[in-house]
Amino acid sequence: MAASIPSFESTALESIPSIANTLRSSFHSHKTRPLEFRLLQLRKLYWGLKDNEPLLSAALAQDLGKPVFEAFLTEITWCENDILFVCKNLAKWTRDEKAPDIPLMNLAFSPKIRKDPLGCVLVIGAFNYPLQLSLGPFIGAIAAGNTAVLKPSEVSPATAMVMGNIVRDYLDPAAYTVVQGGIPETTALLNEKWDKIFYTGNAVVGTIIAKKAAESLTPLTLELGGRNPAIISRNADPRLAARRLLWGKVHNAGQVCVSENYILVDNEIFPAFLAELRVALKDFFPKGVENSSDFGRIVNQRHFRRIRALLDASNGKILIGGHMDEETRYIEPTVIQVNDLDDSLIKDEIFGPLLPIYVVNDLDEAIKIANDVSVTPLAVYAFGKKAETDKVLRETRSGGASVNDSFCHASLPTLAFGGIGESGSGAYRGKQSFDVFTHRRSFTTTPSWFESLLSIRYPPYDGKLKKFLKMAGEKPNFDREGRVKKNLIWTILTLGSNGSSGAATKWGTVVLGKPSDVQVPPK
């Protein structure tokens, strides 16, 4: 008989302290430190996912109406491939590193950097990609040699329960466990002492967690959302911009923290861009969106009403879409032209398939608006010629960016991903998932034969300062005005040029003569 999705059940509150104590004791027993133990757990987790692919796909459909293709593209296969990548590289990552930038006289101390696990860590996942955003950091925690508690989002309860059963059935229960529940269970977890907390979600909850972590000086990674701008210059390709940005809003029914929250489009290209949006929507859903198995649903009624309220509060004009069905939690991809930067669809993070557009006069205006709306969004998307997109990247800040695409950078599994400022702190994915749960522990080994050379550091210090300054003192290569000094040899070699390219030109002139002196042989 095929396995079924279990009903959601919260972890008993009174059991949480003992769960944390068990994991702390396991870490201090050093059982998770050996490389082979970590690899074994990761391999078991891989097969746990493989064995439960149909159940995970069904759970994702139950929670979010997630299409089967999207379930494998962004959740199941993503996590499986992440495990395989980590297993392939983990031995290399865990090796001691030779410390860089060590002066010759200090090499005798054999300075190295060891990759130590942080300890017992807490991972709190999100509802929109309930598998990927929970297991992604969890995989990193295992790889780095920590013990870990995973707290999935209760907003996607079916996926949370299936994931919990996989961890229970396939991993060492003394080292890894899942705690299910909502605010009370999360609060109980935060009352425990952790060596690292990794949270993915909204800024309101992120602020609460950050305050709680600060009480015990617990290091924290925050992966938050953002009011991410897409900027379309007058020289952009309207068809590509329309198709790629529309995909960013219909994927996962727009419940993507890194998708564009609003579009700033040059007035010259706006009509063509709008026309291409209509074409792209028809191409993506030739039989209509509502009845398509390729379009998801809003996760629950509360979030449905939140998105609807944002649209109701907007003074913008609906250009495409607008249909909603609360019973099925369906919101049609909807394009709205807004004329006020205080509009609800600009000020707030939408996290749904609404696409507000604000028309601008030029690129400078678009960049100014983007910086005024949010100085540190999770992402920025720039469409146009290279000079224009370079200007956008140069004059904005964000956690990441994609040029001429919607969240391409966030779709590369081995590229570090994270926020900045109000969109979060820290990064993970690929090797960075290992690094974020690792302490880079510098250490040296002082040989006994070096004692005579160390005598200068021991008291009494009389007569030692001059010797020390002669040994350790360095001289700057710049003068009091901050200008770099040039020595005689360099001046001769470069023929007085400021750089190597200028020197090459001058030496070419010396060797070959002036261009006018070069004789071209007759044909």
Side-chain angles (χ1 to χ4, degrees):
M1 181 177 177
S4 60
I5 299 172
S7 299
F8 187 78
E9 184 177 348
S10 295
T11 302
L13 280 172
E14 62 272 16
S15 70
I16 289 176
S18 64
I19 290 172
N21 285 331
T22 297
L23 266 63
R24 276 193 289 268
S25 297
S26 292
F27 178 75
H28 290 133
S29 73
H30 311 299
K31 72 179 299 180
T32 61
R33 282 180 174 261
L35 174 63
E36 279 307 315
F37 177 87
R38 307 181 200 185
L39 289 171
L40 180 63
Q41 299 302 307
L42 290 169
R43 292 165 186 157
K44 286 184 174 181
L45 181 57
Y46 174 85
W47 287 113
L49 295 174
K50 269 292 179 187
D51 294 344
N52 288 276
E53 285 180 349
L55 205 57
L56 285 167
S57 181
L60 290 164
Q62 181 174 311
D63 287 332
L64 290 145
K66 190 162 289 197
V68 174
F69 178 78
E70 289 186 11
F72 279 87
L73 175 72
T74 63
E75 304 263 20
I76 301 169
T77 303
W78 178 292
C79 292
E80 291 169 351
N81 288 346
D82 192 19
I83 292 171
L84 296 178
F85 176 78
V86 172
C87 288
K88 181 179 179 181
N89 292 281
L90 190 55
K92 176 177 62 178
W93 295 345
T94 56
R95 292 189 195 114
D96 290 348
E97 288 181 16
K98 289 185 178 180
D101 305 319
I102 301 299
L104 181 63
M105 64 180 295
N106 292 332
L107 291 178
F109 299 112
S110 301
K112 292 184 177 66
I113 297 171
R114 178 155 293 172
K115 288 50 165 302
D116 277 352
L118 292 176
C120 185
V121 305
L122 171 63
V123 175
I124 304 176
F127 75 81
N128 55 325
Y129 293 91
L131 190 69
Q132 182 204 135
L133 298 183
S134 296
L135 288 188
F138 193 66
I139 290 166
I142 296 172
N146 303 279
T147 57
V149 169
L150 174 59
K151 165 59 182 68
S153 173
E154 74 282 6
V155 181
S156 290
T159 309
M161 290 302 295
V162 174
M163 190 163 32
N165 287 354
I166 291 172
V167 171
R168 180 198 65 198
D169 295 343
Y170 286 80
L171 299 186
D172 187 327
Y176 314 105
T177 193
V178 172
V179 169
Q180 306 282 13
I183 294 175
E185 292 75 19
T186 304
T187 302
L189 285 169
L190 292 174
N191 286 332
E192 297 297 321
K193 178 68 178 82
W194 305 98
D195 296 298
K196 172 87 176 191
I197 299 174
F198 191 110
Y199 169 74
T200 303
N202 65 66
V204 174
V205 177
T207 301
I208 295 170
I209 292 174
K211 289 179 179 179
K212 191 66 178 177
E215 293 177 4
S216 56
L217 299 180
T218 300
L220 177 66
T221 294
L222 293 173
E223 297 292 343
L224 310 177
R227 291 166 292 168
N228 311 312
I231 297 175
I232 305 175
S233 82
R234 65 188 58 182
N235 295 304
D237 182 326
R239 179 178 179 274
L240 289 183
R243 291 177 65 84
R244 293 173 182 181
L245 289 173
L246 181 63
W247 171 79
K249 275 297 183 180
V250 300
H251 180 75
N252 204 33
Q255 298 164 108
V256 187
C257 61
V258 76
S259 72
E260 68 276 6
N261 201 61
Y262 62 97
I263 296 176
L264 302 169
V265 59
D266 191 286
N267 57 16
E268 287 190 16
I269 201 175
F270 173 55
F273 174 69
L274 181 61
E276 291 292 351
L277 280 174
R278 298 182 193 278
V279 173
L281 189 61
K282 183 66 175 176
D283 286 348
F284 292 173
F285 306 100
K287 296 181 180 180
V289 183
E290 188 168 7
N291 297 319
S292 174
S293 61
D294 296 333
F295 186 77
R297 295 297 183 264
I298 303 306
V299 69
N300 58 26
Q301 255 75 26
R302 180 173 68 86
H303 280 280
F304 176 94
R305 294 177 191 132
R306 176 189 59 79
I307 297 168
R308 183 177 62 189
L310 287 175
L311 184 59
D312 290 344
S314 172
N315 293 318
K317 179 183 178 181
I318 294 177
L319 304 177
I320 300 173
H323 175 62
M324 300 184 184
D325 185 337
E326 183 171 352
E327 184 178 349
T328 61
R329 310 190 313 275
Y330 167 74
I331 297 180
E332 184 180 12
T334 302
V335 178
I336 311 101
Q337 183 177 355
V338 298
N339 299 307
D340 183 356
L341 293 175
D342 288 326
D343 194 278
S344 57
L345 298 177
I346 299 290
K347 289 195 308 179
D348 298 315
E349 184 178 5
I350 297 169
F351 218 68
L354 308 183
L355 192 55
I357 297 176
Y358 187 89
V359 180
V360 297
N361 294 314
D362 54 37
L363 190 59
D364 287 330
E365 182 186 2
I367 292 173
K368 183 181 185 306
I369 290 172
N371 287 327
D372 288 343
V373 170
S374 175
V375 70
T376 52
L378 186 57
V380 167
Y381 304 107
F383 290 77
K385 291 184 176 180
K386 186 176 186 305
E388 295 167 327
T389 58
D390 284 350
K391 178 180 174 69
V392 172
L393 295 183
R394 187 171 61 247
E395 298 183 10
T396 61
R397 288 189 292 163
S398 64
S402 293
V403 173
N404 293 325
D405 206 351
S406 180
F407 61 89
C408 175
H409 70 285
S411 67
L412 304 184
T414 56
L415 183 63
F417 174 81
I420 178 177
E422 64 185 26
S423 61
S425 60
Y428 74 119
R429 299 221 180 130
K431 183 177 182 295
Q432 197 66 35
S433 292
F434 170 84
D435 291 340
V436 77
F437 289 103
T438 297
H439 171 60
R440 293 175 62 83
R441 186 184 189 186
S442 299
F443 73 99
T444 58
T445 303
T446 306
S448 56
W449 59 263
F450 210 72
E451 183 64 14
S452 62
L453 297 175
L454 293 176
S455 62
I456 192 172
R457 72 184 185 181
Y458 301 132
Y461 299 134
D462 291 346
K464 292 183 176 180
L465 179 58
K466 185 176 181 180
K467 182 180 179 182
F468 165 75
L469 292 176
K470 185 176 180 181
M471 291 170 53
E474 296 188 17
K475 295 182 179 180
N477 69 335
F478 50 87
D479 62 20
R480 291 181 178 273
E481 302 300 323
R483 295 169 300 203
V484 176
K485 298 177 181 177
K486 299 175 183 177
N487 59 45
L488 180 61
I489 295 175
W490 176 253
T491 300
I492 293 172
L493 290 175
T494 61
L495 299 179
S497 299
N498 291 324
S500 57
S501 60
T505 302
K506 287 191 174 182
W507 274 108
T509 302
V510 169
V511 174
L512 300 175
K514 295 179 181 179
S516 58
D517 295 337
V518 179
Q519 300 297 317
V520 180
K523 294 183 179 179

